[in-house]
């Protein structure tokens, strides 16, 4: 396993991070425990979750994932072996089961969310506490068109950072990060940290994969120059880059089979590009998923690649990707596909 600095902190996290958003929905607690043990055996020391998980988010399963992780720590007693990341849910996503559906990054909601997460996770502190998406309307979750709303009610970033600073000082969280953010948002967080003495973000958790490399425009430079590395989520584009959904296939129990809402990577252009990447991997005797993961992990602006799995075979193959090198021929072919079909799934 490789280990990389988490921003400008003293922490070093594994280049592969264990994702958890299926636990409590597609995975049972016993399956989740087995995944944690297997990842730890492979050298993974970084685990990412969220109060919102599992997905799809619904009231009946809300908080199940954090509860499972907390049960693991309580039973195993090895909390100190893990760098733990979680997230507070943001506003405007029609989730009335989370604090009445009006979640904001203000004192009331930050305090309520963090205290509840700490209780569920059976821990006194969270190593990396992240804002799951911006407390403002912006282009995220596949929406590239920014539309400004002069009348929008939002929580000022200053207010959020002031509260987060108090939480750091109290020892409840060690570091902060953002997710689904834009270059403007990242720069604003950094500016306020520098000028006000508030905590500096150490990471940005955004989507990044062969079908969506939009992070490279603007945010990659920010990550390199400001040491705010990417925690890449959806590195397999909801599993499409494995090739298992090509030609209309819908395997039993697979995510896109069970949940119709996950359509971000299923448009015809994305499917066309996906087929080319899958064929490229097979032509070079590689597993398509491992090629896709290896491409993400090797990027210099990536701190950690968040892998997820619904069964142990998937997890083992994902973990093995850390040892996969990509030849110049493969990298040149990936670049050629990207030039001809750039970011088909925003």
């Amino acid at each position: 396993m490789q280990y990389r600095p988490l921003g400008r902190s003293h922490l070093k996290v594994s280049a592969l991070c264990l994702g958890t958003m299926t636990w409590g929905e597609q995975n049972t607690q016993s399956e989740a425990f087995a995944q944690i043990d297997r990842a730890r055996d492979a050298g993974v020391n970084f685990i990412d979750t969220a109060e919102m998980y599992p997905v799809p988010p619904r009231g009946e399963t809300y908080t199940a994932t954090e509860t499972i992780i907390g049960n693991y720590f309580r039973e195993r007693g090895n909390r100190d072996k893990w760098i733990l990341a979680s997230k507070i849910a943001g506003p405007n996503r029609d989730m009335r089961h989370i604090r009445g559906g009006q979640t904001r990054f203000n004192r009331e909601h930050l305090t309520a969310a963090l205290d509840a997460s700490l209780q569920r996770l059976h821990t006194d502190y969270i190593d990396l506490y992240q804002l799951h998406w911006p407390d403002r309307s912006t282009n995220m979750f596949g929406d590239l068109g920014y539309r400004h709303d002069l009348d929008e009610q939002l929580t000022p970033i200053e207010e959020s950072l002031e509260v987060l600073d108090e939480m750091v000082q109290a020892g409840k969280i060690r570091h902060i990060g953002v997710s689904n953010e834009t270059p403007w948002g990242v720069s604003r967080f950094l500016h306020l940290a520098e000028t006000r003495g508030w905590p500096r973000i150490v990471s940005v958790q955004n989507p990044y994969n062969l079908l969506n490399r939009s992070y490279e425009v603007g945010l990659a430079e920010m990550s390199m120059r400001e040491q705010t590395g990417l925690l890449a989520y959806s590195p397999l584009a909801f599993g499409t880059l494995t090739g298992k959904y090509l030609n209309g296939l819908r395997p039993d129990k697979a995510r896109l089979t069970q949940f119709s809402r996950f359509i971000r990577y299923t448009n015809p252009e994305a499917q066309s590009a996906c087929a080319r990447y899958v064929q490229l991997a097979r032509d070079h005797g590689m597993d398509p998923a491992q090629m896709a993961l290896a491409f993400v992990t090797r990027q210099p602006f990536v701190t950690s690649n968040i892998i997820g799995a619904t069964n142990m075979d998937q997890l083992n193959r994902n973990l093995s990707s850390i040892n996969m090198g990509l030849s110049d021929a493969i990298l040149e072919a990936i670049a050629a596909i990207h030039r001809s079909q750039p970011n088909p799934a925003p």
Side-chain angles (χ1 to χ4, degrees), residues 62-130:
Y62 170 53
T63 73
T65 306
E66 285 191 331
T67 299
I68 287 172
I69 296 170
N71 290 342
Y72 179 88
F73 289 148
R74 183 175 56 184
E75 291 189 20
R76 296 290 203 274
N78 62 353
R79 167 69 183 90
D80 62 324
K81 304 297 184 183
W82 288 93
I83 295 172
L84 173 64
S86 193
K87 314 178 198 73
I88 174 177
N92 306 322
R93 306 306 299 181
D94 193 27
M95 290 184 287
R96 299 186 183 279
H97 57 278
I98 304 180
R99 292 183 294 284
Q102 299 297 319
T103 59
R104 310 305 302 233
F105 297 151
N106 57 23
R107 181 176 299 278
E108 175 190 356
H109 288 281
L110 280 165
T111 302
L114 177 61
D115 287 347
S117 286
L118 290 171
Q119 184 174 15
R120 286 189 293 268
L121 291 164
H122 289 284
T123 184
D124 296 326
Y125 67 97
I126 292 174
D127 297 285
L128 175 62
Y129 198 54
Q130 304 157 99

Side-chain angles (χ1 to χ4, degrees), residues 221-278:
E221 182 181 10
M222 188 77 71
S223 286
M224 295 301 295
R225 296 191 184 277
E226 297 291 345
Q227 293 83 58
T228 54
L230 172 63
L231 307 182
Y233 79 77
S234 288
L236 292 178
F238 293 167
T240 60
L241 286 166
T242 66
K244 64 184 178 182
Y245 298 118
L246 289 178
N247 302 314
L249 292 176
R250 288 296 182 268
D252 185 42
K253 297 183 179 180
R255 186 186 308 174
L256 301 193
T257 305
Q258 295 189 58
F259 308 114
S260 59
R261 63 179 286 156
F262 295 115
I263 60 173
R264 186 168 177 175
Y265 299 101
T266 59
N267 68 73
E269 193 66 23
Q271 287 295 290
S272 172
C274 179
R276 296 174 67 185
Y277 287 121
V278 169

Side-chain angles (χ1 to χ4, degrees), residues 142 144 209-214 237 263-267 269-271 273 341-346:
L144 295 184
N209 54 62
L210 288 171
L211 300 179
N212 178 2
R213 294 169 58 178
S214 57
I263 60 173
R264 186 168 177 175
Y265 299 101
T266 59
N267 68 73
E269 193 66 23
Q271 287 295 290
Q341 292 180 280
N343 299 324

Side-chain angles (χ1 to χ4, degrees), residues 2-301:
Q2 305 166 22
Y3 301 91
R4 300 169 180 176
L6 180 63
R8 295 182 181 176
S9 78
H10 68 282
L11 298 178
K12 286 197 172 183
V13 297
S14 49
L16 297 181
C17 174
L18 183 60
T20 65
M21 71 178 188
T22 61
W23 301 355
E25 179 67 64
Q26 291 176 265
N27 288 108
T28 64
Q29 176 168 290
S30 62
E31 290 171 337
F33 280 22
Q35 287 192 25
I36 299 172
D37 288 337
R38 176 66 189 96
R40 187 62 199 176
D41 288 344
V44 174
N45 71 348
F46 193 20
I47 187 168
D48 178 75
T49 189
E51 66 161 336
M52 186 191 80
Y53 292 169
V55 294
R58 55 195 181 95
E60 295 84 352
T61 57
Y62 170 53
T63 73
T65 306
E66 285 191 331
T67 299
I68 287 172
I69 296 170
N71 290 342
Y72 179 88
F73 289 148
R74 183 175 56 184
E75 291 189 20
R76 296 290 203 274
N78 62 353
R79 167 69 183 90
D80 62 324
K81 304 297 184 183
W82 288 93
I83 295 172
L84 173 64
S86 193
K87 314 178 198 73
I88 174 177
N92 306 322
R93 306 306 299 181
D94 193 27
M95 290 184 287
R96 299 186 183 279
H97 57 278
I98 304 180
R99 292 183 294 284
Q102 299 297 319
T103 59
R104 310 305 302 233
F105 297 151
N106 57 23
R107 181 176 299 278
E108 175 190 356
H109 288 281
L110 280 165
T111 302
L114 177 61
D115 287 347
S117 286
L118 290 171
Q119 184 174 15
R120 286 189 293 268
L121 291 164
H122 289 284
T123 184
D124 296 326
Y125 67 97
I126 292 174
D127 297 285
L128 175 62
Y129 198 54
Q130 304 157 99
L131 308 180
H132 207 153
W133 57 86
D135 191 339
R136 64 185 191 277
S137 297
T138 189
N139 45 317
M140 56 183 168
F141 297 124
D143 183 5
L144 295 184
Y146 175 70
R147 291 168 294 278
H148 194 66
D149 181 0
L150 288 172
D151 299 320
E152 181 178 25
Q153 300 296 311
L154 50 80
T155 305
I157 293 176
E158 293 89 334
E159 180 177 342
S160 304
L161 273 175
E162 184 175 27
V163 178
L164 291 167
D165 177 52
E166 294 173 11
M167 293 172 168
V168 171
Q169 298 302 321
K172 291 184 175 183
I173 56 179
R174 299 174 75 183
H175 304 285
I176 65 170
V178 292
S179 183
N180 297 295
E181 259 298 356
T182 67
W184 181 86
V186 172
S187 64
R188 186 65 181 161
F189 274 95
L190 292 172
H191 172 75
L192 289 169
E194 181 177 345
T195 57
R196 305 287 183 88
W198 288 328
R200 195 178 196 276
I201 61 172
V202 297
S203 58
V204 182
Q205 185 175 148
N206 275 30
Y208 182 71
N209 54 62
L210 288 171
L211 300 179
N212 178 2
R213 294 169 58 178
S214 57
Y215 195 88
E216 295 175 8
V217 183
L219 279 167
E221 182 181 10
M222 188 77 71
S223 286
M224 295 301 295
R225 296 191 184 277
E226 297 291 345
Q227 293 83 58
T228 54
L230 172 63
L231 307 182
Y233 79 77
S234 288
L236 292 178
F238 293 167
T240 60
L241 286 166
T242 66
K244 64 184 178 182
Y245 298 118
L246 289 178
N247 302 314
L249 292 176
R250 288 296 182 268
D252 185 42
K253 297 183 179 180
R255 186 186 308 174
L256 301 193
T257 305
Q258 295 189 58
F259 308 114
S260 59
R261 63 179 286 156
F262 295 115
I263 60 173
R264 186 168 177 175
Y265 299 101
T266 59
N267 68 73
E269 193 66 23
Q271 287 295 290
S272 172
C274 179
R276 296 174 67 185
Y277 287 121
V278 169
Q279 190 60 50
L280 171 63
R282 291 172 176 165
D283 288 345
H284 286 80
M286 295 188 71
D287 177 272
Q290 291 180 329
M291 184 190 80
L293 290 173
F295 176 81
V296 172
T297 306
R298 76 186 304 276
Q299 301 305 319
F301 51 83

